[in-house]
Amino acid sequence: MGRAVEAGDWGWRWAGRSAWAARGLSFALDEGERVLLLGPSGAGKSTLLAALAGVLGGADEGEECGSLLVAGRHPTRMRGAVGLVMQDPDSQVICQRIGDDVAFGCENLGMTRADIWPAVRAALEAVDLRLPLDRSTGALSGGQKQRLAIAGALAMQSAGPDGPRLLCLDEPTANLDPAGVAQVRGAVEAAVADRRTGLVVVEHRVEVWSGLVDRVIALAPDGGILADGTPDEVFAARRRELTDAGAWVPGAEPDVRPRRTAPPDGAAAPILAGRGLAIGHRADRPVLTGLEVAVPAGRSTAVVGPNGAGKTTLVLTLAGLLAPLGGRVEAAESLRPGHGGLLPRALRRRFDPADPATWASRDLLTRIGVVFQDPEHQFVAASVRAELGVGLRALGRGAARVRDEVDALLERLHLDGVADANPFTLSGGEKRRLSVGTVLATGPALIVLDEPTFGQDRSTWTDLVRLVQSILDEGRTIVSVTHDEAYLRVLGENLLPLGPAGEES
């Protein structure tokens, strides 16, 4: 059995950054070995996976040190030997139709048409994405796109000796419902069952993979490797070091007390309500119809349900970013803007102070803030510091006040070390915290968080949850879309479940 991967004091630094994204990594993987890669947010896990797949870029994108070999050659000369599923599934969607997207990798490996389509169908079935092959990829939910990306990597396995010898999965179950987690885990286990294909998986849900992997490698927050051994060895002998470094360890729950407040008085008006709502992106294809929704003021409401049930569509409609297809959204008196004078004349005629979809963007800025599922969809500035100041400057705050408030947010969100970095070069966990910070900056009364804990290590998860609790303690309202059971245990005061067919459960 040969070496699948050899790393010798390897590191990578992105162009324009003073700090190394990863450094001092030395290890070797045997052919067919299965590894769980752990480490705190920003330790370089995603960077390492991208390097193994040969997609980090050239010298103009960053600086490499040490050596990293895949089957004895530099990864850029072994493209196709490593199947990569990236942390952000949107960045991996290539084609407009589901079938074409899964087939893309197979085509690049030179598979025949007769072999490609059975492989595509089998891969989609393995991840339980049972949709027509001509369904638009743009119509998929975040969790469905995640399954699509994994199906693309699994389909390439059918190329035989020319297919990937190593699967690299970056947070493959982060946005999936419990049934999807089990389905994907089973599909990956089947793909590596013959021990020909190795596995490197980055995952904060450690318990999902600990029974499948042979080995755990934990990256240290300041470079190098903190722990390396079997799961039992690492989690028993290095438990305290791992939790102190921010890694998730089975059985080590974060020390955060659940927030439980008394349900509101039955006569109390909700801060947002949906009356007979029909929602979706197309009038001829509503995702949900006939919904009656109430969001109580000052509490944490969690929207839960399987992938594709319409959770994100619902919260975007409640937040005024997506007009309802039917029915109406009503904001409480305390949330409504006083007038529509800031709207353009053409829109002023339809202004309704009760309906957030008719408000001016400036009115939304200080009333309803939204953190999107994909953080990159809301970045508009060239540095983290500038990004946090966008909303404050739009509100007309002075330069000194903007600087002070941004400095406080940088420290609160543990982003002070990357203040001058481009937001798009951050780790997934750092991007998520930045997107939360951009909304917090303007102090809205109601904040919508779509998968807020995605990509967070144990330490930053704890800090983020405590931050949400402190926002609630100020009297503001939180609505979260989440599959994170730990988050629900702490912040699931009010649950809004959606069923598998877009119906309220």
Side-chain angles (χ1 to χ4, degrees):
M1 183 177 292
R3 293 290 198 193
V5 175
E6 293 179 277
D9 200 29
W10 181 82
W12 175 267
R13 177 168 58 189
W14 293 102
R17 296 282 292 274
S18 58
W20 289 80
R23 194 168 192 181
L25 302 184
S26 297
F27 63 91
L29 305 183
D30 290 328
E31 187 177 324
E33 196 167 10
R34 305 167 183 174
V35 175
L36 176 62
L37 186 63
L38 299 182
S41 176
K45 304 181 296 295
S46 298
T47 302
L48 175 58
L49 294 196
L52 289 172
V55 296
L56 272 184
D60 57 331
E61 294 190 39
E63 174 186 356
E64 187 176 29
C65 68
S67 65
L68 183 67
L69 302 177
V70 173
R73 305 173 73 181
H74 193 272
T76 56
R77 301 177 64 190
M78 294 296 290
R79 290 173 183 147
V82 178
L84 174 66
V85 175
M86 294 182 283
Q87 194 173 47
D88 173 16
D90 265 321
S91 63
Q92 210 157 333
V93 176
I94 298 168
C95 301
Q96 292 184 337
R97 296 182 298 185
I98 287 175
D100 294 340
D101 198 80
V102 177
F104 184 81
C106 300
E107 292 169 343
N108 277 274
L109 291 176
M111 291 175 60
T112 66
R113 183 180 180 87
D115 291 333
I116 286 175
W117 293 107
V120 167
R121 293 186 179 91
L124 288 169
E125 184 174 344
V127 299
D128 199 29
L129 192 60
R130 302 171 190 272
L131 295 171
L133 296 183
D134 62 354
R135 176 69 60 85
S136 168
T137 53
L140 301 181
S141 71
Q144 289 172 325
K145 288 177 182 175
Q146 207 157 11
R147 297 187 194 208
L148 180 69
I150 294 169
L154 295 180
M156 292 165 65
Q157 297 293 107
S158 300
D162 296 324
R165 294 298 185 97
L166 181 67
L167 281 180
C168 290
L169 309 179
D170 198 351
E171 300 271 9
T173 67
N175 289 331
L176 298 183
D177 56 62
V181 171
Q183 192 81 25
V184 165
R185 202 268 195 193
V188 172
E189 183 174 11
V192 299
D194 62 0
R195 287 287 179 177
R196 183 186 75 85
T197 302
L199 173 68
V200 179
V201 57
V202 172
E203 182 66 85
H204 289 309
R205 293 177 177 177
V206 174
E207 67 282 355
V208 173
W209 302 97
S210 57
L212 175 62
V213 299
D214 312 307
R215 183 173 168 189
V216 173
I217 297 177
L219 305 188
D222 54 353
I225 291 176
L226 178 63
D228 185 353
T230 67
D232 289 343
E233 291 171 348
V234 169
F235 294 138
R238 312 297 291 274
R239 187 181 190 84
R240 181 62 180 271
E241 292 173 87
L242 289 169
T243 55
D244 286 349
W248 289 98
V249 176
E253 291 293 322
D255 183 21
V256 183
R257 286 188 176 185
R259 187 179 194 274
R260 295 290 182 265
T261 59
D265 187 300
I271 193 169
L272 271 183
R275 311 295 188 195
L277 277 184
I279 63 175
H281 295 269
R282 289 175 48 177
D284 63 338
R285 191 181 289 175
V287 177
L288 298 162
T289 58
L291 278 178
E292 298 293 327
V293 180
V295 177
R299 303 190 84 207
S300 171
T301 293
V303 183
V304 297
N307 297 122
K311 302 182 296 297
T312 295
T313 305
L314 173 60
V315 296
L316 291 179
T317 304
L318 292 173
L321 299 183
L322 191 63
L325 302 178
R328 65 184 273 110
V329 175
E330 295 180 359
E333 291 281 353
S334 61
L335 196 62
R336 298 177 186 180
H339 59 85
L342 293 176
L343 287 170
R345 181 179 297 178
L347 300 179
R348 201 176 303 159
R349 289 191 297 273
R350 72 180 187 90
F351 172 70
D352 178 353
D355 182 0
T358 69
W359 297 354
S361 57
R362 185 184 177 92
D363 290 328
L364 283 171
L365 195 62
T366 55
R367 288 169 174 81
I368 304 176
V370 179
V371 176
F372 299 125
Q373 189 174 67
D374 181 355
E376 295 185 354
H377 286 176
Q378 62 196 98
F379 294 157
V380 297
S383 74
V384 171
R385 183 183 299 279
E387 190 71 47
L388 289 171
V390 168
L392 294 169
R393 289 190 293 273
L395 293 175
R397 304 276 170 82
R401 185 175 176 185
V402 170
R403 183 182 62 250
D404 291 344
E405 293 189 26
V406 166
D407 284 344
L409 277 171
L410 287 168
E411 183 176 358
R412 192 177 189 184
L413 297 166
H414 303 288
L415 294 172
D416 39 345
V418 292
D420 297 320
N422 188 302
F424 293 92
T425 67
L426 302 181
S427 73
E430 290 167 338
K431 288 176 182 175
R432 169 54 72 212
R433 296 200 299 282
L434 175 58
S435 65
V436 171
T438 60
V439 170
L440 290 180
T442 59
L446 186 149
I447 298 175
V448 174
L449 306 172
D450 198 347
E451 299 289 356
T453 56
F454 170 68
Q456 300 306 306
D457 62 40
R458 187 178 187 274
S459 298
T460 57
W461 184 96
T462 301
D463 288 343
L464 192 59
V465 167
R466 286 176 176 161
L467 177 60
V468 172
Q469 290 180 326
S470 71
I471 294 168
L472 291 163
D473 291 342
E474 294 169 358
R476 292 191 271 173
T477 303
I478 298 287
V479 177
S480 307
V481 173
T482 186
H483 293 113
D484 185 342
E485 294 180 6
Y487 184 90
L488 290 171
R489 286 194 292 271
V490 176
L491 287 163
E493 289 185 291
N494 179 56
L495 296 182
L496 179 55
L498 299 181
E503 301 288 339
E504 278 190 286
S505 299

